[in-house]
Amino acid sequence: MQDVAERSSSGLATIYRRWPTKQELVAAALGHQPSFDFSPTGDPDADLRALLHIMAVDMGAKSEFLPGMMTAAREHPEIGSAVRDEIMAEMRTELRGLVVARAGNEPIGVDFVIDAILGNLLLRIGLLDEEVDADRYVADVLAVLDALS
């Protein structure tokens, strides 16, 4: 909290008045952080490829941050809500829309597939500490989606 006060040229009391705990400060910061920089073009296949690539690169860049974020999300309800409601919900919604648009209908088990796509990245990058090749990841996800169609 002291570091935040110093970097913002604010007093520590000012920071604590707005965010009484470090967890509330982190949750607020997560809520104001864009999940990813994605601009859809209207082409579901190209957009899905682009979003998957962005997610793999972005999560890979945050590989040291992911395990701590997952732990904090489980241990602190405020952080957990911010991660689920601000970050994961946006990714799930974007992915779901693109998978459905690409398939031309709502595939059976689409929500499970969306969670598997995201879960695979979180597992490989956050837990197994693997470097994920974004192009290979996109190709693998699309191959699985094609096999399910």
Side-chain angles (χ1 to χ4, degrees), residues 55-73:
M55 287 172 22
V57 169
D58 190 50
M59 283 191 200
K62 297 175 181 170
S63 63
E64 293 180 15
F65 173 72
L66 283 176
M69 183 190 69
M70 289 189 289
T71 299

Side-chain angles (χ1 to χ4, degrees), residues 38-124:
F38 172 66
S39 300
T41 66
D43 177 346
D45 190 60
D47 289 346
L48 181 58
R49 288 173 187 274
L51 181 57
L52 291 169
H53 194 275
I54 289 166
M55 287 172 22
V57 169
D58 190 50
M59 283 191 200
K62 297 175 181 170
S63 63
E64 293 180 15
F65 173 72
L66 283 176
M69 183 190 69
M70 289 189 289
T71 299
R74 289 188 49 84
E75 292 179 357
H76 304 285
E78 309 94 335
I79 295 173
S81 287
V83 169
R84 282 187 304 277
D85 300 342
E86 304 294 333
I87 298 172
M88 298 307 293
E90 183 180 353
M91 282 193 271
R92 291 172 85 199
T93 299
E94 286 289 345
L95 276 173
R96 188 179 203 291
L98 292 172
V99 167
V100 169
R102 184 175 182 266
N105 61 15
E106 187 167 313
I108 295 172
V110 66
D111 293 317
F112 179 83
V113 170
I114 299 311
D115 290 343
I117 291 168
L118 289 167
N120 180 271
L121 273 179
L122 290 171
L123 170 71
R124 292 172 63 193

